Amino acid sequence: MTDVRTPQSPADTAPGGPAGESPTASAGWLRWAWRQLTSMRTALVLLFLLALGAIPGSLLPQQGTDPGSVDQYYVSHPDLAPWINRLGLFNVFAAPWFAAIYLLLFASLVGCVVPRTFRLVGSARTPPPRAPRNLARLPHSSSYSSALPPAAAVDNAAAVLGGQRFRLRRPAADEPGYWVSAEKGYLRECGNLLFHLSLLGVLLSIAAGGLFGYKADKLLVEGQTFANTVSALNEFHPGRLVSGDSLAPFTLTLNKFTASYVESGESAGQPSNFNANVTYAASSGATPRSYNIRINDPLAVDSLKVYLIGHGYAPEFKVTEANGTVAYEEATPFIPANTSSLLSDGVVKAPDASLGFEGVFVPTAIEVEGTLESIFPAANNPAVSLIGYSGNLGMNSGVSDQTVYQLDTNGLTEISGSPHLLSPGQSWKLPGDKGSIEFVGVKQWVSLAITYDPGQVPALVCGILALAGLLLSFFVRRRRVFVRAVPAASGTGSVVTVGGLTRSDASGGFEEEFADLAAQIAETEPDPGQPQEPIKPEPDHTPEPGSHSEPGA
Amino acid sequence: MFTVRTPLVFRARRRTVVTVTAVVAVLLAGALAVTLLTQGGSSTSDETVNGNTVVYAAGHQPLAPDFTATSLTGTPIKMSSYRGKVLVLNFWGSWCPPCRSEGPTLAVLSQQYGSKGVDFLGDDVSDTPENALAFTRSVGITYPSINDPGYVVVQDFSQATPVSETPTTVVIDAAGHVVGMVLGQTSYGEMTTLLRDAGVNK
């Protein structure tokens, strides 16, 4: 942030000690506290703290995104975990101390930016100051003799400066002397203003994103459709002002998921490409469109993005009761237990047939010393190994802790002593006339992350504008040119002095511009006299010219 | 930076600006804090929330959407054909323990209220017809259910009133307005109360 702070009087910096005008001590302290809060140093410290505070969020498992790992942490660190929880480190972004940091930062930035904005508006609207009395003392100056009377000479100079789009100021009716003040480079203040307003815009966009945005996860098997509605989502993390019925009404169907793996060589089995072919409709009446979601190539529906974040296998099972009725038929998502071989675990629950199965799925099966292993992640030789249970699965008693991926085998009877291996199309006729289970085939599932951040585009636009404003304020110089004419000592004509000053000539070039302007002004002379050599004091030794620009100073 | 001295006019107003800014910033931060730190739990004057039951006040009852769908057994279902009768619409899935738990209650209610002109309809989500029919057979549910594996009907319905949980049971009056609903597992008592609100006595 560029600093436009005016120097503060000692009364402003000392707490509780306002010299002269003396409000109560507490008001003084409040003013002091407010000054401290809105100082740039505080803003930077808070920004740093914010970044620091976010670190535990990436080091420790977070309740919002990965509750399973939090439970796991409790198991592995039984002494430490309760303390971490007390400090809110399992849910950093909702912790009161984190909220305190960003609320203070927000207040600090608003308190810093808003007064500056007012000041910049004022500064951009200020007319140029009166011409100083002695222009020869300015960093840049030159003078010439004119045959014209002072008023006409100044008029000519004003016409030249006006033609160069300088903002002009002439003496008021009651002011003595012949002069014109000209100022250019107000774009600098506009740039600065743009920068500060855009900064506020960025803050508001981020706040809007946090309040109105949401993140969600959805697991979808090939052939399945889902409509973007709260109960359809596996995980839903709404912003504070998101109501469940305000989700974008799109529907999405996973047609086919393709994963390619390196077939041979050193990195055999490494994934080389993922592609989820989907059909989606932006709203219930919209025309369906097709899209291929890849890693780093999300589907964008308006401000909403759908990312591919995971995949796995969903073996299809059909459970038939002894009397021939089908009690279960579904492609059942199994969760990869080994991310490189995609050996996956899952359960099949047919509560209405009082049957449950624990299963292991292997995409490319090989038997190693009696145990089933997978040697390749693609489904080249798929197989499942099942352990069957019979009894009441406990799913009819309402609230249940077990998810669809878990089977509580307490109280169930194991059907056979050893796991049963099935290839696609094979059935296992359960002993004791309990029916059968068929391994019908294999489908794949994908895990999709749906993010909606309405603040993203405005934040980007504001960021670009802030940068543009900053560049403007860096590269545009604000410069002043004064012209003053006095009657010549000889009695006819006048002596015209041109003075110039700039306060921010970081990029250089004002000297040339001034020389050019002075020459142009001198050229307005109908009968050019001998232009005098510019009187140029060393700029380095010039007294601080600020005192000249202040009216009445 | 070109440090432009604050003009006189401005200096006089500066304190006001600082004060106004401070007040605005504190108010903004406060408002932000309140919205960030308080969780939902909203209850407008249009609806009364009692436990997991939502009852809409007369005149504020949202109109249930009209849609056509297919039942678990493949027959077409038109929402408009239920107009003129009170309808109990239950969103459920055979995989969902609270849905399975409330199933027998709904089966009994549908028997008792069937003769009083109340229709029952299910909307089976994230499920297969085979699994769903195995459940309805086992608990004796005889009313039809929509085959809605992708939650499309839920999405349609959420335009009128949020169906944010599975199960959710909605009571719709004869004119097609939502009288109220139970989010989560429902009970016999909750349903008879809602049905009384819809003008049907036991």
Side-chain angles (χ1 to χ4, degrees), chain A residues 444-462:
Chain A
Q444 295 189 81
W445 57 260
V446 297
S447 180
L448 301 173
I450 300 150
T451 62
Y452 173 63
D453 187 353
Q456 221 168 33
V457 174
L460 179 69
V461 170
C462 289

Side-chain angles (χ1 to χ4, degrees), chain A residues 285-328:
Chain A
T287 353
R289 291 165 193 278
S290 179
Y291 194 82
N292 289 315
I293 305 178
R294 296 186 175 89
I295 306 286
N296 296 329
D297 185 10
L299 163 69
V301 190
D302 301 326
S303 290
L304 192 132
K305 290 205 170 69
V306 183
Y307 296 87
L308 175 64
I309 57 165
H311 69 107
Y313 288 102
E316 287 179 84
F317 295 101
K318 185 175 181 178
V319 177
T320 312
E321 289 181 82
N323 61 12
T325 54
V326 178
Y328 182 94

Side-chain angles (χ1 to χ4, degrees), chain A residues 178-269:
Chain A
Y178 307 97
W179 51 266
V180 60
S181 299
E183 189 164 20
K184 205 177 179 179
Y186 285 88
L187 213 53
R188 180 189 189 83
E189 257 61 45
C190 296
N192 222 319
L193 198 61
L194 183 66
F195 172 74
H196 281 96
L197 289 177
S198 305
L199 214 59
L200 276 182
V202 170
L203 280 180
L204 288 176
S205 307
I206 291 172
L211 292 175
F212 298 102
Y214 58 83
K215 290 191 179 110
D217 289 345
K218 174 68 181 174
L219 188 148
L220 206 57
V221 179
E222 285 174 317
Q224 284 184 351
T225 299
F226 94 97
N228 188 32
T229 181
V230 176
S231 54
L233 299 166
N234 301 107
E235 292 276 344
F236 181 55
H237 305 290
R240 300 287 167 162
L241 296 182
V242 175
S243 63
D245 49 349
S246 60
L247 302 195
F250 79 93
T251 52
L252 186 147
T253 306
L254 176 65
N255 302 319
K256 189 167 176 51
F257 174 73
T258 321
S260 315
Y261 302 95
V262 179
E263 293 286 338
S264 59
E266 189 84 335
S267 52

Side-chain angles (χ1 to χ4, degrees), chain A residues 3-6 12 21 31 34-35 99 102-103 106-107 110-111 114-115 118-119 122-123 126 188-189 192 211 218 225-232 240-241 245 248-251 325-330 351-352 395-398 400 404 478 480 503 550, chain B residues 1-8 10-11 14-15 17-18 21-22 24-26 28-29 32-33 35-39 94-98 100-101 126-128 130-131 134-135 137-139 149-152 154-156 158-159 161-166 185:
Chain A
D3 194 2
V4 283
R5 231 136 233 261
T6 50
D12 286 344
E21 62 222 300
R31 278 166 60 78
W34 176 247
R35 285 239 153 67
Y102 68 66
L103 288 176
F106 189 77
V110 170
V114 170
F118 276 104
R119 232 174 291 154
S123 133
T126 320
R188 180 189 189 83
E189 257 61 45
N192 222 319
L211 292 175
K218 174 68 181 174
T225 299
F226 94 97
N228 188 32
T229 181
V230 176
S231 54
R240 300 287 167 162
L241 296 182
D245 49 349
F250 79 93
T251 52
T325 54
V326 178
Y328 182 94
E329 184 168 9
E330 194 171 357
D352 297 303
M395 284 172 67
N396 291 18
S397 50
S400 165
V404 290
R478 192 146 169 193
R480 292 170 179 169
R503 289 236 189 105
E550 187 67 27
Chain B
M1 176 66 218
F2 196 141
T3 313
V4 181
R5 283 277 189 89
T6 326
L8 280 176
F10 241 77
R11 220 179 261 175
R14 206 173 104 195
R15 182 154 308 165
V17 170
V18 168
T21 312
V24 168
V26 167
L28 269 178
L32 205 61
T35 45
L36 290 176
L37 298 175
T38 53
Q39 291 274 14
S94 70
W95 46 272
C96 135
R100 300 182 65 90
S101 182
S126 194
D127 214 347
T128 60
E130 290 80 6
N131 299 4
F135 174 69
R137 265 198 312 271
S138 73
V139 295
Y151 293 83
V152 175
V154 176
Q155 188 180 54
D156 271 354
S158 290
Q159 306 300 320
T161 181
V163 180
S164 54
E165 268 181 68
T166 308
Q185 187 177 332

